[in-house]
Structures are given as C-alpha cells and as structure tokens.
Amino acid sequence: MAITLTESAAKHVTRYLSNREKGVGVRVGVKTTGCSGLAYVLEFVDELAAEDQVFESRGVKVVVDPKSLLYIDGTELDFVKEGLNEGFKFNNPNVASECGCGESFNV
C-alpha cells in the first residue's frame, strides 16, 4: 500500500509547506460527492491523527485516512501545468470510470 508523488508534485508541496512555515505533509483522501460518487480531497496537514497512515515519497509525508486508502491505494499524485492552468492530477489505478467533467470518479 502506498501513495506516491512525482518530482513535480513533491517540489510544489515542499515549496508550499516552506511558505506556510508549518505543516508536516499533505493529506490525500476522498469524499462522497459528484455525479460519479467520489472526489479527491487534498489539504495540508499540521497534526497527525492516531488512525492516519503515513507514507513518505520524495521527502514529503503523504497522510491518508484508512477509509480513503481503500479507494486510492497505488495512486500517484502529479502536479501539471497545461497552458495557463496548473494543478494536481491523480493517477489512480483503481478508477473504473470518471464523470464527464472529471471532478468525480468511481471504483
């Protein structure tokens, strides 16, 4: 079981945590929403919860709650720039389908 970051994603997270001057890593999870059922949640972590699973990828702590891990195990988090747009991209091998707008998925 693992969640990994590309070099681009790790650099972006590291830079953001440095600018914040606090935080232990990034939390990756899912929530029920959207037309396909699940959507990704990404937030910076200041404190770990007892049940958190912690992975380290490229020097960054990636924190996942056990329920979310069932849906995102094996996911690679990338940070991409496409034209004027930039953002995180989830390369999740568990996804069976996505909604048309790309905001939600199901497994």
Side-chain angles (χ1 to χ4, degrees), residues 28-74:
V28 181
V30 295
K31 65 179 179 177
T32 304
T33 189
C35 48
S36 289
L38 297 169
Y40 297 105
V41 176
L42 186 66
E43 60 189 10
F44 293 94
V45 178
D46 293 329
E47 293 182 25
L48 297 173
E51 69 275 4
D52 284 338
Q53 300 287 315
V54 180
F55 305 97
E56 187 156 329
S57 180
R58 301 181 188 265
V60 175
K61 285 187 169 69
V62 181
V63 181
V64 183
D65 67 273
K67 290 180 183 176
S68 293
L69 188 57
L70 296 172
Y71 301 103
I72 60 174
D73 184 30

